[in-house]
Amino acid sequence: MKLALAGLIGAAVLATGLLLLLRGGDDPPPPPPTTRPDRAPTPAPAATPRPRRPAVAYAPVTKTRLRKDLRRLRPRLYVPNSDAGTVDVIDARRMRVVRRMRVGSVPHHITPSWDLRRLYVDNTGSNTLTELDRRTGRIRRTIPVPDPYNLYFTPDGRRAVVVAERERRLDFRHPRSWRLVKSVPIPWPGGDHLDFSRDGRHLLVSAEFSGRVVRVRLRRPRVTGVARVGGLPVDVKADTSGRRFYVANQARGGVSVIDPRRMRETRFLRTGAGAHGLALARDPRYLYVSNRLAGSVSVIDTRRRRVRRTWKVGGSPDMLQVSGDGRRLWYSNRFQGSVSALDTRTGRVLRTIPTGRGAHGLTYYPQPGEFTVGHNGVYGVRLPWRR
């Protein structure tokens, strides 16, 4: 009997010890090992500082599905008529003008806000932005902003970038209060259009009347490089790889391919007289180019870096917008006061719609994408950032 009782007690003690071991135990930790007085302890390795990452890395939109809050909005084209001081609203499905509004003087472009909730008309003559309601398309308010020839938003949405062409500078502003944060002088005349690097660290802006393309750093903004391309560089677009920028050149009749790291032209693609506007197709391998003086639209293969085809369309194709499904390319005819729709499979002009005088930087809204970096609608999606 005593032996059996002793065995039961021993088993209970063993089980309790195993349970405490599995739960981590309540015993105090063992004392640290003693250090020999003649030898200092080995210090822990210092943490390697991680490089500063951009707030947003982005890529052009290739999908055709709209964001949920945009799906009930009727697709419209908003057309600024620079010479008439008006905006025409076109129903994209019925292909006709449904409204004409008087805005500030000399409206050049219509820019969707970064969060896609508003539209802004850039009026350089009256130094104002006209804010439009995205649902009704009607005017909401007028915002005083000096010389807004063009309007962009940094890929992280934290700053608006106003291209003040007459003042030869980029104004970085708060995107809601429009308070000036910093101005970056551009020492060359004709600041026009820009696009951002895919990692969100730099932008490249054309200086049309000096034949230059200028690189500006976004963190603590300042000019960090310049490329001489000659002629009259206008629209700027980065390709999906992020290793090249394309710059339309009106005077040279084609498109410069720019290495943004070395800031030099690596190739020139001849498209047609008055090469002016650029727009990526839904398959971003292809880039559309409007040739304003030649009355044509070219298609560039960005992988092979060559002109694939050119469609003779007549008129004076200026700024470009691709429809949400990618089947139509809309463009303003600057000298005819009209807007045309082109079938992107055949190059056939489907319809030309009369507008006000000086039809310029039209936008097609809504479009697929998570945000826009501005201009007349350059939409983007977030990318997981990798070193």
Side-chain angles (χ1 to χ4, degrees):
M1 185 66 179
K2 291 181 177 179
L3 290 174
L5 182 59
L8 288 173
I9 293 172
V13 171
L14 180 60
T16 303
L18 289 173
L19 181 62
L20 288 173
L21 181 62
L22 291 173
R23 293 177 59 188
D26 296 325
D27 294 335
T34 57
T35 304
R36 290 178 56 182
D38 59 341
R39 182 178 298 176
T42 304
T48 304
R50 299 182 68 182
R52 181 181 177 87
R53 291 164 50 177
V56 174
Y58 87 106
V61 174
T62 58
K63 62 183 181 179
T64 59
R65 188 173 178 81
L66 288 174
R67 204 172 72 179
K68 187 176 180 179
D69 62 316
L70 302 175
R71 291 173 192 168
R72 293 187 179 181
L73 299 182
R74 179 177 292 274
R76 301 183 179 106
L77 283 109
Y78 297 84
V79 187
N81 304 306
S82 297
D83 300 336
T86 59
V87 168
D88 285 338
V89 183
I90 296 175
D91 186 312
R93 293 172 181 164
R94 293 185 288 170
M95 290 190 173
R96 66 184 183 89
V97 175
V98 295
R99 185 177 302 117
R100 177 169 292 172
M101 302 175 289
R102 182 157 294 281
V103 293
S105 61
V106 197
H108 278 298
H109 303 94
I110 297 183
T111 302
S113 64
W114 181 86
D115 58 9
L116 312 185
R117 296 181 183 276
R118 291 164 293 279
L119 297 164
Y120 296 106
V121 186
D122 312 335
N123 310 301
T124 58
S126 57
N127 295 313
T128 59
L129 298 175
T130 303
E131 183 179 312
L132 306 181
D133 186 284
R134 68 171 180 171
R135 296 188 180 278
T136 65
R138 297 183 182 276
I139 295 173
R140 291 187 61 185
R141 60 172 178 156
T142 299
I143 306 163
V145 173
D147 194 22
Y149 173 76
N150 221 329
L151 174 62
Y152 294 83
F153 299 92
T154 56
D156 60 11
R158 294 179 181 177
R159 295 287 180 263
V161 185
V162 176
V163 182
E165 180 183 24
R166 291 193 309 266
E167 306 297 330
R168 296 192 188 184
R169 67 178 191 243
L170 299 181
D171 287 342
F172 288 77
R173 294 181 174 272
H174 189 282
R176 294 302 300 275
S177 69
W178 299 100
R179 174 179 57 85
L180 181 64
V181 178
K182 183 178 177 61
S183 286
V184 177
I186 303 298
W188 302 279
D192 270 0
H193 304 269
L194 63 85
D195 200 3
F196 299 89
S197 62
R198 291 291 171 252
D199 60 10
R201 293 180 176 179
H202 298 88
L203 63 81
L204 262 65
V205 58
S206 61
E208 179 180 1
F209 305 128
S210 66
R212 288 175 170 86
V213 179
V214 183
R215 185 180 63 205
V216 175
R217 186 180 68 188
L218 295 182
R219 184 180 174 226
R220 297 178 182 174
R222 67 181 182 87
V223 172
T224 60
V226 61
R228 293 174 178 266
V229 296
L232 298 168
V234 188
D235 209 0
V236 180
K237 201 72 65 200
D239 71 1
T240 53
S241 72
R243 294 191 295 267
R244 290 174 291 273
F245 280 70
Y246 291 80
V247 181
N249 197 306
Q250 287 190 126
R252 295 176 67 190
V255 176
S256 297
V257 184
I258 303 292
D259 179 338
R261 298 185 67 182
R262 295 182 293 169
M263 288 304 292
R264 56 177 290 188
E265 180 182 277
T266 61
R267 186 172 298 190
F268 185 78
L269 307 174
R270 198 166 298 281
T271 59
H276 188 86
L278 303 171
L280 283 168
R282 281 286 171 259
D283 178 352
R285 172 179 178 176
Y286 300 109
L287 179 69
Y288 298 116
V289 185
S290 61
N291 305 304
R292 194 164 73 177
L293 300 181
S296 64
V297 173
S298 297
V299 184
I300 289 176
D301 185 327
T302 61
R303 291 182 187 170
R304 298 185 179 181
R305 296 190 289 287
R306 65 180 182 85
V307 178
R308 182 167 182 174
R309 63 175 66 92
T310 296
W311 295 310
K312 279 289 193 180
V313 296
S316 52
D318 195 275
M319 291 281 96
L320 305 170
Q321 283 279 274
V322 179
S323 64
D325 58 13
R327 296 180 180 177
R328 292 176 181 173
L329 179 69
W330 294 85
Y331 57 89
S332 53
N333 292 293
R334 185 70 176 274
F335 306 135
Q336 282 76 28
S338 63
V339 167
S340 297
L342 176 149
D343 187 315
T344 56
R345 293 165 293 187
T346 65
R348 183 171 65 91
V349 177
L350 301 173
R351 186 170 297 182
T352 296
I353 305 162
T355 63
R357 291 177 292 109
H360 193 189
L362 79 172
T363 192
Y364 184 108
Y365 181 89
Q367 290 265 32
E370 296 178 17
F371 57 87
T372 173
V373 294
H375 190 19
N376 62 324
V378 181
Y379 292 78
V381 294
R382 297 172 186 268
L383 288 178
W385 176 245
R386 297 177 181 176
R387 290 174 56 189

